[in-house]
Amino acid sequence: MAGKDRILVLGPTGAIGRHIVWASVKAGNPTYVLVRDTPPTANKPRLVTAANPETREELLQNFQNSGVFLIQGDMNDHQSLVNAIKQVDIVICSFGRLLIEDQVKIIAAIKEAGNVKRFFPSEFGLDVDRHDAVEPVREVFEEKAKIRRVIEAEGVPYTYLCCHAFTGYFLRNLAQIDITVPPRDKIFIQGDGNVKGAYMTEADVGTFTIEAANDPNALNKAVHLRLPANYLTLNEIVSLWEKKIGKTLEKIYVPEEKVLKDIQELSFPNNYLLALYHSQQIRGDAVYEIDPAKDIEASEAYPYVKYSTVDEYLNQFV
């Protein structure tokens, strides 16, 4: 039997990248990560650090101890990038929002290397070809959509991974601003709270990403992660939380006009987070029909994968 594909993860110490690495290791894929000599200096939102307390140095040491191959390189050093890509079969990028457009450098390196079976660009959110988001999120989604068009124009084999809402951003605070645990007294709900959203733990995003990487049927398709137990309205999630803590929260429903005004007046990262919440909770950007010719619904393609439910995730905060 042929061995599993070799996987290179770019951005391996980020909020999603680290989970993709661990899922690849667990699945038995030979796993490689590209490591820069100088780590990034961008300040991360409190929600990100709360969900991912492990430091970059600790992660890299743990990767190495687990048999991950660490390759020194930089996306701005074309030759080092080409050399890294030539060692693998699949490239998965998990760069943050500030580096989305820089993926053209990865595409160029993939083209030169000439050996990559599939490229996963940095998506890991809502489907950027199906959204009605407002700024500052819209700009990032449009950048991701542009990268899709470059990939397709260059004939690079791909898989797009649409996982919607990370639990670390959307659930650990029940989509509230400036807190990192679910509220116990009152909650602000965008709109009427009845719009379906799709929620995923970051670890499960990693698991499904590697499932798709090892699935030949996912070639040149978008994989959508809307898992049945986690495809819920915010009202349904709040109800789950209330049952766990044995208390009814005061609910303050915020009309869209007020949400849009707050987004304009807030600074980063709160304006960005609020725009993400608005995209899913009011605009319904996780509600759409898929096209079997170019889309895969993960819950149907990989029904054997056990994932963390919203109900289970909230238990840690009780």
Side-chain angles (χ1 to χ4, degrees), residues 167 199-201 204 227 230 306-313:
T167 53
Y199 301 86
M200 291 277 298
T201 67
D204 287 338
L227 309 174
N230 293 359
K306 186 182 184 307
Y307 59 89
S308 297
T309 66
V310 168
D311 188 49
E312 293 166 343
Y313 177 83

Side-chain angles (χ1 to χ4, degrees), residues 62-180:
N62 289 338
F63 287 164
Q64 203 162 23
N65 293 344
S66 300
V68 175
F69 299 96
L70 274 57
I71 304 175
Q72 293 294 324
D74 193 301
M75 70 169 178
N76 293 314
D77 180 345
H78 178 73
Q79 195 55 52
S80 74
L81 193 54
V82 171
N83 292 343
I85 289 170
K86 282 184 175 179
Q87 300 179 53
V88 301
D89 305 296
I90 294 173
V91 177
I92 301 176
C93 183
S94 60
F95 287 166
R97 64 182 181 86
L98 297 178
L99 298 175
I100 297 302
E101 292 184 310
D102 285 338
Q103 290 179 105
V104 294
K105 301 172 184 176
I106 301 169
I107 295 168
I110 287 173
K111 289 284 287 184
E112 181 172 329
N115 61 291
V116 169
K117 296 179 179 179
R118 219 162 343 143
F119 175 45
F120 285 66
S122 187
E123 295 258 339
F124 307 107
L126 296 167
D127 186 337
V128 297
D129 283 335
R130 293 182 174 104
H131 77 88
D132 192 24
V134 299
E135 297 293 4
V137 167
R138 173 175 286 274
E139 180 182 7
V140 177
F141 286 2
E142 289 178 348
E143 289 173 358
K144 289 183 176 182
K146 287 178 183 177
I147 292 298
R148 285 189 178 190
R149 305 293 85 84
V150 174
I151 290 169
E152 293 157 7
E154 292 293 332
V156 171
Y158 65 85
T159 297
Y160 305 139
L161 207 294
C162 306
C163 62
H164 301 281
F166 303 150
T167 53
Y169 280 87
F170 286 75
L171 278 192
R172 68 178 297 122
N173 62 348
L174 296 192
Q176 306 300 289
I177 296 296
D178 280 336
I179 62 173
T180 59

Side-chain angles (χ1 to χ4, degrees), residues 195-243:
V195 178
K196 289 280 188 183
Y199 301 86
M200 291 277 298
T201 67
E202 288 81 345
D204 287 338
V205 172
T207 298
F208 279 99
T209 299
I210 299 304
E211 283 292 331
N214 287 323
D215 178 11
N217 293 323
L219 175 64
N220 294 338
K221 290 187 178 180
V223 176
H224 303 264
L225 304 178
R226 297 182 296 182
L227 309 174
N230 293 359
Y231 195 42
L232 304 170
T233 68
L234 190 55
N235 282 336
E236 289 171 329
I237 293 170
V238 172
S239 179
L240 283 173
W241 177 240
E242 289 175 330
K243 289 176 183 177

Side-chain angles (χ1 to χ4, degrees), residues 5-78:
D5 285 331
R6 299 163 297 173
I7 293 177
L8 171 66
V9 181
L10 306 176
T13 60
I16 289 299
R18 64 184 65 197
H19 295 291
I20 295 171
V21 173
W22 289 128
S24 180
V25 171
K26 185 176 180 180
N29 290 86
T31 306
Y32 299 69
V33 300
L34 190 70
V35 181
R36 291 192 292 177
D37 291 330
T38 55
T41 57
N43 292 326
K44 296 179 179 179
R46 290 170 57 209
L47 278 170
V48 175
T49 54
N52 303 280
E54 199 173 19
T55 68
R56 177 181 185 270
E57 292 70 26
E58 290 169 339
L59 261 181
L60 293 177
Q61 187 59 59
N62 289 338
F63 287 164
Q64 203 162 23
N65 293 344
S66 300
V68 175
F69 299 96
L70 274 57
I71 304 175
Q72 293 294 324
D74 193 301
M75 70 169 178
N76 293 314
D77 180 345
H78 178 73

